[in-house]
Amino acid sequence: MTASDNANPSELLAAIDMGSNSFHMVVARQVHGEIRTLEKMGEKVQLGAGLDEDNNLTEEAQQRGLDCLRRFAQRLSGMPQEAVEIVGTNALRVARNANQFIARAEEVLGYPVEIIAGREEARLIYLGVAHTLSDDTGRRLVVDIGGGSTEFIIGERFETRALESLHMGCVSFRNRYFADGKINRRQMDQAVTHASQELLNIRSRYRELGWQSSVGSSGSIKAVSSVLSTLRITDGSIDLKSMRELRRRLIDMGHVRRLADLGVRTDRQSIFPAGFAILLAAFESLGVESMTYADGALREGLLYDIMGRIQHEDVRERTISALQERYQLDQRHGEAVEASAITLWQSVCQSWGIDTVADEELLRWASRLHEIGLTISHSQYHKHGAYLLRYSDLPGFTQQFQQELATLVRGHRRKFSTSIFEGFSPRDADRLKRLCILLRLGVLLQHARNYEAPPAIKAQASGKQLTLTFDEEWLSDRPLTLADFTNEREYIARQGFDLDIQTR
């Protein structure tokens, strides 16, 4: 029996990080606003190594991942959905058949699986590290070397100042420079040069911002620290002088199998020189003087992100507010549309099967942001808005949620066509169509832009039938609103939905 077996499921939080190299799970308990870890599990799945030449995950790689998730799934049993966060990183960002694997993973786990963008991964890594370090003053640089990407973050206390995810990792560099297991000067120099070229994108900006301390948070950096200690080059701290000495010794060793003598685990030996090369390039290119290892990482960041949402300190709300300010949206109008759309949602959410917290959040935020595209042009502004939301870096949001948010904004006016919902499973497309209809109606109810409260509406839904019943006097005083509803009936009929307007 583990510690998590004795905890009340309502107090538990869990996070799974499906990395390009390893899958990690952490189960924790909330205690007076703090997180106490109960159990950690991790397995070297090397999902990134299973990408074929067309960037499809092979069946063998998918099975490795699913077998690992089956072992994780037992620990999630009975936990509420809002207390569990499962994310994929670079390998799933790159994989062309990622949706296939995600569907299979969700079936195994019984919980939603999301893919996060590189900068969102960096934000969560910093959040995890910041919570495991002392609350010191001054800026810190955090580096996390993953299997397919490496994240670089500058932050102070719990706030980030710069976030970047570069497309280089210990698995991809192993495959390119150390695939035969040999470690020689030419291979090492090529790997370090490649990493330095990637770092040119951030070098000037990061050096200008500066930092007072630097922290490494990945298995690769932990392994380097351990080897430096084993060789008695340092006490486990990392600096440029010790890195250059370790480079010399690695080249003298000549092959990754010799790393066993230094205590490097078998499953990490093949990727050790690749991770080392990326770290050495970071020291040289960014001018890092010294670095310590910290245990917090992406999965711990996910836990604190979950807890923030539970305690109504949701970073996504800050992101939405920042977007409203940046693009000078009419916030009163957005709030009025939100109130109208949510009034309808509350009446039909159960009968239409769109009654989750995520469904409500999606509708609320789409209502607030539906006019974001006006900053570009009034013509086709719904399409401009969808583009902005789909491709912007939005802290706190997964790629899937961003795509859904963009879809609702894209479909909130004009044609209601099948193409708007392309790329989603039939089940998700059907859910999004229903939410989109409610947003469209919320916008129409506020067409006059007079910020009035939602009218007394009786809304009923069954299948693809939606009936709205208004007070006769209210509707007769608003002939343009009735005309809007008449036009809307024609739009949504193209997707097989029937809108019936009645009075009482």
Side-chain angles (χ1 to χ4, degrees), residues 285-303:
S285 182
L286 299 180
V288 179
E289 294 179 359
S290 64
M291 178 178 289
T292 56
Y293 171 74
D295 199 35
L298 172 58
R299 51 201 171 276
E300 285 78 19
L302 286 166
L303 291 178

Side-chain angles (χ1 to χ4, degrees), residues 109-153:
L109 293 164
Y111 293 86
V113 174
E114 307 274 9
I115 300 174
I116 54 175
R119 286 186 177 175
E120 174 63 5
E121 182 180 355
R123 183 189 73 84
L124 290 166
I125 287 167
Y126 184 82
L127 186 61
V129 170
H131 276 281
T132 60
L133 297 175
S134 59
D135 190 15
D136 54 358
T137 57
R139 292 179 193 166
R140 61 171 72 99
L141 169 70
V142 175
V143 180
D144 186 283
I145 302 171
S149 64
T150 298
E151 282 64 49
F152 296 86
I153 313 101

Side-chain angles (χ1 to χ4, degrees), residues 415-427:
K415 292 180 181 179
F416 194 58
S417 61
T418 303
S419 63
I420 296 171
F421 305 95
E422 285 179 353
F424 292 100
S425 68
R427 181 178 177 181

Side-chain angles (χ1 to χ4, degrees), residues 312-375:
H312 306 292
E313 299 169 0
D314 194 339
V315 67
R316 296 174 301 170
E317 285 283 0
R318 295 210 308 266
T319 297
I320 297 298
S321 296
L323 288 171
Q324 290 176 302
E325 294 290 338
R326 184 188 312 159
Y327 293 105
Q328 299 180 328
L329 295 180
D330 183 342
Q331 294 188 35
R332 284 188 66 193
H333 178 63
E335 289 168 1
V337 170
E338 177 186 354
S340 297
I342 291 300
T343 295
L344 296 172
W345 175 83
Q346 288 170 339
S347 298
V348 304
C349 62
Q350 291 188 338
S351 54
W352 258 4
I354 50 173
D355 56 350
T356 68
V357 172
D359 291 329
E360 181 182 1
E361 290 173 338
L362 182 61
L363 184 57
R364 285 187 182 279
W365 291 329
S367 298
R368 293 182 211 172
L369 298 176
H370 71 282
E371 291 186 330
I372 193 171
L374 286 172
T375 192

Side-chain angles (χ1 to χ4, degrees), residues 29-30 65 118 147 196 203 244 316 416 488:
R29 183 181 180 188
Q30 307 175 66
S196 298
R203 178 180 173 177
R244 286 174 172 164
R316 296 174 301 170
F416 194 58
E488 185 63 17

Side-chain angles (χ1 to χ4, degrees), residues 54 113 186 202 389 447 494:
D54 296 319
V113 174
R186 180 182 60 83
I202 68 171
L389 293 173
H447 196 166
R494 293 167 188 167

Side-chain angles (χ1 to χ4, degrees), residues 20 68 94 189 323 417 431 437 444 477:
S20 301
C68 173
V94 171
D189 287 349
L323 288 171
S417 61
R431 176 177 64 87
I437 287 172
L444 295 182
D477 288 343

Side-chain angles (χ1 to χ4, degrees), residues 199-210 285-286:
L199 283 157
L200 277 176
N201 296 316
I202 68 171
R203 178 180 173 177
S204 296
R205 181 161 58 99
Y206 273 52
R207 283 192 163 199
E208 183 178 342
L209 274 173
S285 182
L286 299 180

